[in-house]
Coordinates of all heavy atoms in Angstrom, one line a residue:
H1 N 95.3 118.5 110.3 CA 94.7 117.2 110.0 C 93.7 117.2 108.9 O 93.7 116.4 108.1 CB 94.1 116.6 111.3 CG 95.2 116.3 112.4 ND1 94.9 116.3 113.7 CD2 96.5 115.9 112.3 CE1 96.0 116.0 114.4 NE2 97.0 115.8 113.5
A2 N 92.8 118.3 109.0 CA 91.8 118.4 107.9 C 92.4 118.6 106.6 O 92.0 118.1 105.6 CB 90.8 119.5 108.3
L3 N 93.5 119.5 106.6 CA 94.1 119.8 105.3 C 94.8 118.5 104.7 O 94.8 118.2 103.5 CB 95.2 120.9 105.5 CG 95.9 121.4 104.3 CD1 95.0 121.9 103.2 CD2 96.9 122.4 104.6
Q4 N 95.5 117.8 105.6 CA 96.2 116.6 105.2 C 95.1 115.5 104.7 O 95.3 114.9 103.6 CB 97.0 116.0 106.3 CG 97.8 114.7 105.9 CD 98.6 114.2 107.1 OE1 98.1 113.5 108.0 NE2 99.9 114.5 107.1
T5 N 94.0 115.4 105.4 CA 93.0 114.5 104.9 C 92.4 114.9 103.6 O 92.1 114.1 102.7 CB 91.8 114.5 106.0 OG1 92.4 114.1 107.3 CG2 90.8 113.5 105.6
A6 N 92.2 116.2 103.4 CA 91.8 116.7 102.1 C 92.7 116.4 101.0 O 92.3 116.0 99.9 CB 91.5 118.2 102.2
D7 N 94.0 116.5 101.2 CA 95.0 116.2 100.2 C 95.0 114.7 99.8 O 95.1 114.4 98.6 CB 96.4 116.6 100.7 CG 96.7 118.1 100.8 OD1 95.9 118.8 100.1 OD2 97.6 118.5 101.5
V8 N 94.9 113.9 100.8 CA 94.8 112.4 100.5 C 93.5 112.1 99.8 O 93.5 111.3 98.8 CB 94.9 111.6 101.9 CG1 94.8 110.1 101.6 CG2 96.2 111.9 102.6
A9 N 92.4 112.7 100.2 CA 91.1 112.4 99.5 C 91.2 112.9 98.1 O 90.7 112.2 97.2 CB 90.0 113.2 100.3
D10 N 91.8 114.1 97.9 CA 91.9 114.6 96.5 C 92.7 113.7 95.6 O 92.5 113.6 94.4 CB 92.5 116.0 96.5 CG 92.4 116.7 95.2 OD1 91.5 116.4 94.4 OD2 93.3 117.5 94.9
A11 N 93.7 113.0 96.2 CA 94.6 112.1 95.4 C 94.0 110.7 95.2 O 94.6 109.9 94.5 CB 96.0 112.0 96.2
S12 N 92.9 110.4 95.9 CA 92.3 109.1 95.7 C 91.6 109.0 94.4 O 91.2 110.0 93.8 CB 91.3 108.9 96.8 OG 90.2 109.7 96.7
P13 N 91.4 107.8 93.8 CA 90.8 107.6 92.5 C 89.3 108.2 92.5 O 88.9 108.7 91.5 CB 90.8 106.1 92.3 CG 91.9 105.6 93.2 CD 91.9 106.5 94.4
D14 N 88.7 108.2 93.7 CA 87.3 108.7 93.7 C 87.1 109.6 94.9 O 86.6 109.1 96.0 CB 86.3 107.5 93.7 CG 84.9 107.9 93.7 OD1 84.6 109.1 93.4 OD2 84.0 107.1 93.9
P15 N 87.4 110.9 94.8 CA 87.3 111.8 96.0 C 85.9 111.9 96.5 O 85.6 112.2 97.6 CB 87.8 113.1 95.4 CG 88.6 112.8 94.3 CD 88.0 111.5 93.7
A16 N 84.9 111.7 95.6 CA 83.5 111.8 96.0 C 82.9 110.5 96.6 O 81.7 110.4 96.9 CB 82.6 112.2 94.8
A17 N 83.8 109.5 96.9 CA 83.3 108.3 97.4 C 82.7 108.5 98.8 O 81.8 107.7 99.2 CB 84.5 107.3 97.5
R18 N 83.2 109.5 99.5 CA 82.6 109.8 100.8 C 82.1 111.3 100.8 O 82.7 112.1 100.2 CB 83.7 109.7 101.9 CG 84.1 108.3 102.1 CD 85.1 108.2 103.3 NE 85.6 106.8 103.5 CZ 84.9 105.9 104.2 NH1 83.8 106.3 104.9 NH2 85.4 104.7 104.4
A19 N 81.0 111.5 101.5 CA 80.5 112.9 101.6 C 81.4 113.7 102.4 O 81.7 114.9 102.1 CB 79.1 112.9 102.3
V20 N 82.0 113.1 103.5 CA 83.0 113.8 104.3 C 84.1 112.8 104.7 O 83.8 111.7 105.2 CB 82.3 114.3 105.6 CG1 83.4 115.0 106.5 CG2 81.2 115.3 105.3
W21 N 85.3 113.2 104.4 CA 86.5 112.4 104.7 C 87.0 112.8 106.1 O 87.1 114.0 106.4 CB 87.6 112.6 103.7 CG 87.3 112.0 102.4 CD1 86.5 112.5 101.4 CD2 87.9 110.8 101.8 NE1 86.6 111.7 100.3 CE2 87.4 110.7 100.5 CE3 88.8 109.9 102.3 CZ2 87.8 109.6 99.7 CZ3 89.2 108.8 101.5 CH2 88.6 108.7 100.2
R22 N 87.2 111.8 106.9 CA 87.8 112.0 108.3 C 89.2 111.3 108.3 O 89.4 110.4 107.6 CB 86.9 111.4 109.3 CG 85.4 111.9 109.4 CD 85.3 113.2 110.2 NE 83.9 113.5 110.4 CZ 83.5 114.6 111.1 NH1 84.4 115.3 111.8 NH2 82.3 114.9 111.2
P23 N 90.0 111.8 109.2 CA 91.4 111.1 109.3 C 91.3 109.6 109.5 O 92.1 108.9 108.9 CB 92.0 111.8 110.5 CG 91.4 113.2 110.5 CD 90.0 113.0 110.1
R24 N 90.3 109.2 110.2 CA 90.2 107.7 110.4 C 89.8 106.9 109.2 O 89.9 105.7 109.1 CB 89.1 107.5 111.5 CG 87.7 107.9 111.1 CD 86.7 107.5 112.3 NE 85.3 107.9 112.0 CZ 84.8 109.0 112.2 NH1 85.5 110.0 112.8 NH2 83.5 109.3 111.9
H25 N 89.3 107.6 108.1 CA 89.0 107.0 106.9 C 90.2 106.7 106.0 O 90.0 105.9 105.0 CB 88.0 107.8 106.1 CG 86.7 108.0 106.8 ND1 85.9 109.2 106.7 CD2 86.0 107.2 107.7 CE1 84.8 109.1 107.4 NE2 84.9 107.9 108.1
L26 N 91.3 107.3 106.3 CA 92.4 107.2 105.3 C 93.1 105.9 105.3 O 93.6 105.4 104.3 CB 93.4 108.4 105.7 CG 92.9 109.8 105.6 CD1 94.0 110.8 105.9 CD2 92.2 110.1 104.3
G27 N 93.3 105.3 106.5 CA 94.0 104.0 106.5 C 95.4 104.1 105.9 O 96.1 105.0 106.2
V28 N 95.7 103.1 105.1 CA 97.0 103.0 104.5 C 97.3 104.2 103.5 O 98.4 104.6 103.3 CB 97.2 101.6 103.8 CG1 96.3 101.6 102.5 CG2 98.6 101.4 103.4
R29 N 96.2 104.8 103.0 CA 96.4 105.9 102.1 C 97.1 107.1 102.9 O 97.9 107.8 102.4 CB 95.1 106.4 101.5 CG 94.5 105.5 100.5 CD 93.3 106.1 99.8 NE 92.7 105.2 98.8 CZ 93.1 105.2 97.6 NH1 94.1 106.0 97.2 NH2 92.6 104.4 96.7
G30 N 96.6 107.2 104.2 CA 97.2 108.3 105.0 C 98.7 108.0 105.2 O 99.5 108.9 105.2
L31 N 99.1 106.7 105.5 CA 100.5 106.4 105.7 C 101.3 106.7 104.4 O 102.4 107.2 104.5 CB 100.6 104.9 106.1 CG 102.0 104.4 106.2 CD1 102.7 105.1 107.4 CD2 101.9 102.9 106.5
V32 N 100.8 106.2 103.3 CA 101.5 106.5 102.0 C 101.6 107.9 101.8 O 102.7 108.4 101.3 CB 100.7 105.8 100.9 CG1 101.3 106.2 99.5 CG2 100.8 104.3 101.0
W33 N 100.6 108.7 102.1 CA 100.7 110.2 101.9 C 101.9 110.8 102.7 O 102.6 111.6 102.2 CB 99.4 110.9 102.2 CG 99.4 112.4 102.1 CD1 99.6 113.3 103.1 CD2 99.3 113.1 100.9 NE1 99.6 114.5 102.5 CE2 99.4 114.5 101.2 CE3 99.1 112.7 99.5 CZ2 99.4 115.5 100.2 CZ3 99.1 113.7 98.6 CH2 99.2 115.1 98.9
R34 N 102.0 110.4 103.9 CA 103.0 110.9 104.8 C 104.4 110.6 104.3 O 105.4 111.3 104.5 CB 102.9 110.5 106.2 CG 101.6 110.9 106.9 CD 101.5 110.5 108.3 NE 100.3 110.9 109.0 CZ 99.2 110.1 109.0 NH1 99.2 108.9 108.5 NH2 98.1 110.6 109.6
L35 N 104.5 109.4 103.6 CA 105.8 108.9 103.1 C 106.0 109.1 101.6 O 107.0 108.6 101.0 CB 106.0 107.4 103.4 CG 105.8 107.0 104.9 CD1 105.9 105.5 105.0 CD2 107.0 107.6 105.7
R36 N 105.2 109.9 101.0 CA 105.1 109.9 99.5 C 106.4 110.4 98.9 O 106.7 110.1 97.7 CB 103.9 110.8 99.1 CG 104.1 112.3 99.4 CD 102.7 113.0 99.1 NE 102.8 114.4 99.4 CZ 102.8 115.0 100.6 NH1 102.6 114.2 101.7 NH2 102.8 116.3 100.8
D37 N 107.2 111.2 99.6 CA 108.4 111.8 99.0 C 109.6 111.0 99.4 O 110.8 111.4 99.1 CB 108.5 113.3 99.4 CG 107.5 114.1 98.7 OD1 107.1 113.8 97.5 OD2 107.0 115.1 99.3
D38 N 109.4 109.9 100.2 CA 110.6 109.1 100.6 C 111.1 108.4 99.4 O 110.4 107.6 98.7 CB 110.1 108.1 101.7 CG 111.3 107.5 102.4 OD1 112.1 106.8 101.7 OD2 111.4 107.6 103.6
R39 N 112.4 108.5 99.2 CA 113.0 107.8 98.0 C 112.9 106.3 98.1 O 112.8 105.7 97.0 CB 114.5 108.2 97.9 CG 114.7 109.7 97.5 CD 116.2 110.0 97.3 NE 116.3 111.4 96.8 CZ 116.2 111.7 95.5 NH1 115.9 110.8 94.6 NH2 116.4 113.0 95.2
R40 N 112.9 105.8 99.2 CA 112.8 104.3 99.4 C 111.4 103.9 98.9 O 111.3 102.8 98.2 CB 113.0 103.9 100.8 CG 114.5 104.1 101.3 CD 114.6 103.9 102.8 NE 113.9 105.0 103.5 CZ 113.9 105.1 104.8 NH1 114.5 104.2 105.5 NH2 113.2 106.0 105.4
L41 N 110.4 104.7 99.2 CA 109.1 104.3 98.7 C 109.0 104.5 97.2 O 108.3 103.7 96.5 CB 108.0 105.2 99.4 CG 106.6 104.8 99.2 CD1 106.3 103.4 99.8 CD2 105.6 105.9 99.9
L42 N 109.6 105.5 96.6 CA 109.6 105.7 95.2 C 110.3 104.6 94.5 O 109.9 104.1 93.4 CB 110.2 107.1 94.8 CG 109.5 108.3 95.4 CD1 110.2 109.5 95.0 CD2 108.0 108.3 95.0
S43 N 111.4 104.1 95.1 CA 112.2 103.0 94.5 C 111.3 101.7 94.6 O 111.4 100.9 93.6 CB 113.4 102.8 95.3 OG 114.3 103.9 95.2
Y44 N 110.5 101.6 95.6 CA 109.6 100.5 95.7 C 108.6 100.4 94.6 O 108.3 99.4 94.0 CB 108.9 100.5 97.1 CG 107.8 99.5 97.2 CD1 108.1 98.2 97.6 CD2 106.5 99.8 97.1 CE1 107.2 97.2 97.8 CE2 105.5 98.8 97.2 CZ 105.8 97.5 97.6 OH 104.9 96.6 97.7

């Protein structure tokens, strides 16, 4: 979970926006990260 959160934080426009990112901070970004390689999402 921490590694996944770090990946999402790193991909955000401003990784330093939070001193510490927690899974609960990801919101829709976390959902998009999990689906990022889905062809339907890329077509969207």
Side-chain angles (χ1 to χ4, degrees):
H1 292 150
L3 182 59
Q4 185 178 78
T5 303
D7 288 340
V8 178
D10 190 30
S12 69
D14 185 11
R18 294 182 179 275
V20 180
W21 289 77
R22 302 274 189 175
R24 64 177 181 272
H25 297 149
L26 301 182
V28 70
R29 287 186 181 276
L31 175 62
V32 170
W33 177 261
R34 296 183 183 94
L35 301 175
R36 66 191 182 280
D37 292 325
D38 191 301
R39 290 187 175 276
R40 291 169 295 182
L41 190 61
L42 299 180
S43 296
Y44 174 80

